Amino acid sequence: MIKHVVMFKFKGSLEERKDVAAKFMEALVQLPCEIPQLKSIDVGINMNPSESWDLVLTATADSMEDVAIYSAHPAHQDAVAIIAPFKEDRACVDYQV
């Protein structure tokens, strides 16, 4: 099993960043229903104002091939489009459990 952990930093005011994070989270949590290769996804919006990262997601899939299928899936691409104008930075770690 693969854990796919991604952190995002958004541009804009605190309110804009929180708004885009909420919209992105709403789209992400629907993905396991639409993408069979995605076993689960947990999404959290950072509540600590002294930290610079805005959102983290942890997804699980059976293999790196399944992570690639999830990443390329149109439903995932639609979710990513929500944050495209606001994305300042992204960090990702994929590891085997």
Side-chain angles (χ1 to χ4, degrees), residues 7-23:
M7 294 190 318
F8 293 91
K9 189 183 298 186
F10 301 129
K11 298 181 246 184
S13 69
L14 180 59
E15 283 305 310
E16 290 169 324
R17 292 176 17 234
K18 295 263 183 216
D19 184 54
V20 75
K23 289 176 183 169

Side-chain angles (χ1 to χ4, degrees), residues 62-74:
D62 288 333
S63 66
M64 285 303 298
E65 292 80 13
D66 286 347
V67 172
I69 291 167
Y70 144 71
S71 294
H73 192 281

Side-chain angles (χ1 to χ4, degrees), residues 4-52:
H4 173 70
V5 181
V6 187
M7 294 190 318
F8 293 91
K9 189 183 298 186
F10 301 129
K11 298 181 246 184
S13 69
L14 180 59
E15 283 305 310
E16 290 169 324
R17 292 176 17 234
K18 295 263 183 216
D19 184 54
V20 75
K23 289 176 183 169
F24 189 41
M25 181 171 87
E26 218 175 282
L28 290 172
V29 298
Q30 301 303 314
L31 294 180
C33 298
E34 300 182 48
I35 306 172
Q37 293 80 6
L38 186 60
K39 301 305 178 196
S40 68
I41 192 165
D42 294 313
V43 183
I45 296 172
N46 192 355
M47 297 173 58
N48 185 346
S50 66
E51 295 295 334
S52 61

